[in-house]
Amino acid sequence: MAKEPIYLDNQATTPLAPEVFDAMVPWLRDNFGNPHSAHMLGRKAAAAVEVARDQVASLLPSNGNLFFAGSATEAINLGFGAANALKAAGRDKIIVLDSEHAAVRDTALSYKEHGFMVERHPIGPDGIVSLEQLGGSIDEKTALVAAMLVNNEIGVIQPVEAIANLAHEHGALMLCDVVQGYGRVTIPDNIDMAAISAHKIYGPKGIGALWVREGIDLPPMIHGGGQEQGIRSGTLSPALCAGFGQAAALCSDRHNVDAAHIQALADKARSCFADWTVNGAMDQRYQGNINIRRNGVDVARLMSDVRGVAFSAGSACASGSGRPSHVLAALGLGPAQIKSSIRLGFGRYNSLDDIEMAAELINEAVEAQLA
Ligand code: PLP
């Protein structure tokens, strides 16, 4: 059997934690009850869903409700519905950072069809938004401001708490895509909505959630049997919920251990890739990501030369759409710099040896290219 590549793409997805697998098995194999049934089997499944909901919600601000969804993308689409509810009050402007994931950016752009003006707000050359500039854009016509916590391509952390304050000064709501930071980076408790995804925290694919501050009017997105308080109908999977809950609990229990491990991996990567330039801020960042470039490197060729490492072209939109990275372009990088960028993402199950071996393979292939 071919050897598995060294996995350095933890922003795309993460391996399932063994403890998560164990927590899911009983709900796949033994307990098949529909959590929305009134009998005992149903109540047992419903109880498991509520335990999971509490586990996932415990890493988010306390004054809100958590709605399970099929993915963070779905959760984001759900959250944008709150803008529609504000339109009647004369608010018809949505502001998103130019570096948002396609799940936020394209959802925002789709609101043009609902009569909204959508602003893609610029970021600085370090990937961070200027609060002064953003403050000048938010006004009393603004319904929603969306800004992500940790960028999935370059790892930089936005000043989310200050952005939420700016939105609130003008009566607008603030939606935060916390997918890449949840369980790892502190989430400010003044945000109004947060979207998360289990498969980015060593949980299963196929489940995400939207956290919504109490009192926010959220219209139903999926109509049907009235599940999830009527906001998102459809039978929940107790196995996916239990897996998400366990993944969240592990993030909490292992927080310091994981953080120290990720920092050690990041330090190792910085020394192994010392000849490369980091894209985005060096200080305000999540350490589990590094997006780097080297003049003259052809990343498409590099990826086919280095089959032993699973990593991403920095230029490839992380959504896998094949579109070039709007994030690197928003930093002000030119096409040649974008095409010579790679993204490495480290996680709980990587070792220092992984980084060293991957760096050797990548740097060797680069030297051969540049020779
Ligand atoms: N937001 C960010 C920052 C992401 O990295 C991703 C996944 O790549 C998403 C949203 C979408 O998550 P999901 O795969 O659960 O739809």
Side-chain angles (χ1 to χ4, degrees), residues 16 20 25 44 46 100 114 117 169 180 212:
L16 197 74
V20 169
V25 167
K44 194 171 165 189
E100 292 298 300
H114 301 281
M117 215 244 331
E169 275 169 29
Q180 297 287 350
V212 183

Side-chain angles (χ1 to χ4, degrees), residues 11-13 70-76 99-104 148-153 177-181 195-200 205-209 318-319 343:
Q11 272 76 53
T13 195
S71 61
T73 301
E74 192 189 311
I76 288 162
S99 53
E100 292 298 300
H101 187 277
V104 166
M148 70 208 306
L149 184 62
V150 174
N151 186 277
N152 53 300
E153 292 189 42
D177 170 349
V178 302
V179 166
Q180 297 287 350
I196 55 178
S197 182
H199 75 100
K200 310 290 186 176
K205 292 167 188 60
I207 184 162
S319 63
R343 180 184 71 170

Side-chain angles (χ1 to χ4, degrees), residues 213-233:
R213 175 179 304 291
E214 261 159 33
I216 290 177
D217 186 12
L218 199 62
M221 186 175 75
I222 300 182
H223 303 274
Q227 291 93 344
E228 296 303 87
Q229 299 182 41
I231 300 294
R232 192 255 188 191
S233 287

